Amino acid sequence: MLLITTLCAPALQARDVEVMILGTYHLANPGQDLHNVEVDDVTVPARQEQLEQVAQALATFQPDKIAVEAVSGREDLSLAAFEDFTPDILKQVRNEREQIGYRLAHRLGHEAVYGIDEQSDETDYFPFGVVSEFADSSGRSDAVESLQQMAAALVETMGRMHAEQTIGHALFWINQPRLIDRGHRQFYYGLLELADHEQQPGALLNARYYERNARIFAKLTRVAEPGDRVLVVYGSGHSYWLRHFVEETAGYELVEANTYLAGLIGSR
């Protein structure tokens, strides 16, 4: 009877992959986005202490793997640069890849950090120039300017949060789910109205950006294994779609970064 019961019982399901999407602003001021946050030198002792607090908070999530916004040319998507990482690099390199991702991976004794970014020389994943040209030629430049001002105001607030608060506090602010959803819908979906019977450049931009983020998530699925806890450190402009893919893909579960960052509010 026991044998029959065992054979008829449903197979045990593999545990979900738990994924935390930590949206970040760019700590190194690369100036590569449409609007960029002004950030001071995060290699100074006060900022390093704040980044250590961030690492300590995220360490309680106990991620098995960490993935960052970088392109890997390796089949397993690991990053060669992490193999040469030492804490001394944190005194020289300001990028959030090292300051948050590599710092935490080193603290936890990880052997690898994974690069899941998607870039292409053939495909423009953010064809904003096409949108601007259409807006100018169709007399809709005011609509684009309004969306630009909204995005600029959000980035200005991010910069003020960084200047006036700790890095942990600023990260908590930009990882609020309502803020992520509202910003995406207002800006990206606001572009969908830029269209006529022949051209839909706003739709094109949305489709291309969706594709880039879908490819990023597809690479994440190459890295993650059932039961893993994965931390993804990525520019906050990607948060909406990466969260979407985690929530809507079977076998994946979204973990809120702010559950772990909440203790950093008001800390100095």
Side-chain angles (χ1 to χ4, degrees):
M1 190 67 176
L2 177 62
L3 176 62
I4 295 175
T5 303
T6 302
L7 291 174
C8 293
L12 291 175
Q13 297 297 312
R15 289 192 298 134
D16 285 352
V17 177
E18 296 181 54
V19 182
M20 178 191 295
I21 305 296
L22 178 70
T24 66
Y25 51 100
H26 296 305
L27 302 180
N29 288 321
Q32 296 176 345
D33 295 329
L34 201 59
H35 299 279
N36 298 277
V37 179
E38 291 294 328
V39 178
D40 57 12
D41 185 359
V42 298
T43 66
V44 300
R47 291 300 193 186
Q48 285 295 296
E49 181 179 351
Q50 294 170 16
L51 285 160
E52 279 294 311
Q53 292 171 352
V54 170
Q56 183 174 349
L58 296 175
T60 61
F61 172 56
Q62 298 181 335
D64 302 294
K65 293 170 182 171
I66 296 173
V68 297
E69 189 172 355
V71 175
S72 170
R74 294 176 165 182
E75 187 174 348
D76 68 353
L77 298 178
S78 65
L79 292 167
F82 178 67
E83 295 169 6
D84 299 323
F85 176 80
T86 67
D88 286 341
I89 290 175
L90 299 175
K91 302 175 184 177
Q92 308 163 22
V93 180
R94 296 166 60 178
N95 193 291
E96 62 276 3
R97 177 176 55 244
E98 286 82 10
Q99 290 292 341
I100 298 177
Y102 288 11
R103 179 195 299 266
L104 180 57
H106 179 78
R107 173 192 283 252
L108 296 175
H110 288 192
E111 295 183 358
V113 171
Y114 300 90
I116 59 172
D117 198 21
E118 166 65 19
Q119 301 287 346
S120 173
D121 293 331
E122 291 79 31
T123 303
D124 183 355
Y125 287 122
F126 195 82
F128 193 79
V130 178
V131 173
S132 294
E133 290 174 8
F134 177 86
D136 291 342
S137 64
S138 62
R140 303 287 302 281
S141 56
D142 287 351
V144 173
E145 179 61 26
S146 177
L147 291 172
Q148 289 268 51
Q149 290 177 358
M150 180 200 69
L154 180 63
V155 168
E156 182 181 355
T157 302
M158 278 191 212
R160 187 170 66 252
M161 291 291 296
H162 175 85
E164 298 176 358
Q165 303 290 342
T166 65
I167 294 174
H169 194 133
L171 288 174
F172 180 91
W173 186 80
I174 64 173
N175 279 280
Q176 297 174 86
R178 287 186 180 180
L179 181 69
I180 294 167
D181 290 349
R182 185 173 72 245
H184 183 93
R185 290 167 181 166
Q186 288 179 341
F187 182 79
Y188 287 96
Y189 294 166
L191 293 174
L192 292 174
E193 296 181 1
L194 293 166
D196 62 20
H197 66 291
E198 292 182 327
Q199 302 178 71
Q200 300 82 37
L204 174 65
L205 185 145
N206 271 272
R208 292 274 180 82
Y209 200 54
Y210 175 96
E211 179 184 357
R212 181 184 173 194
N213 284 285
R215 288 179 177 273
I216 292 167
F217 182 76
K219 290 182 179 180
L220 177 64
T221 67
R222 288 278 315 281
V223 169
E225 299 178 83
D228 274 349
R229 298 165 69 87
V230 183
L231 169 65
V232 178
V233 181
Y234 237 84
S236 61
H238 298 269
S239 291
Y240 179 90
W241 280 123
L242 295 182
R243 289 167 59 89
H244 165 84
F245 289 122
V246 174
E247 291 184 302
E248 299 299 329
T249 303
Y252 289 80
E253 178 183 345
L254 182 66
V255 176
E256 290 294 346
N258 279 358
T259 301
Y260 295 85
L261 296 176
L264 302 182
I265 298 300
S267 64
R268 280 287 180 183

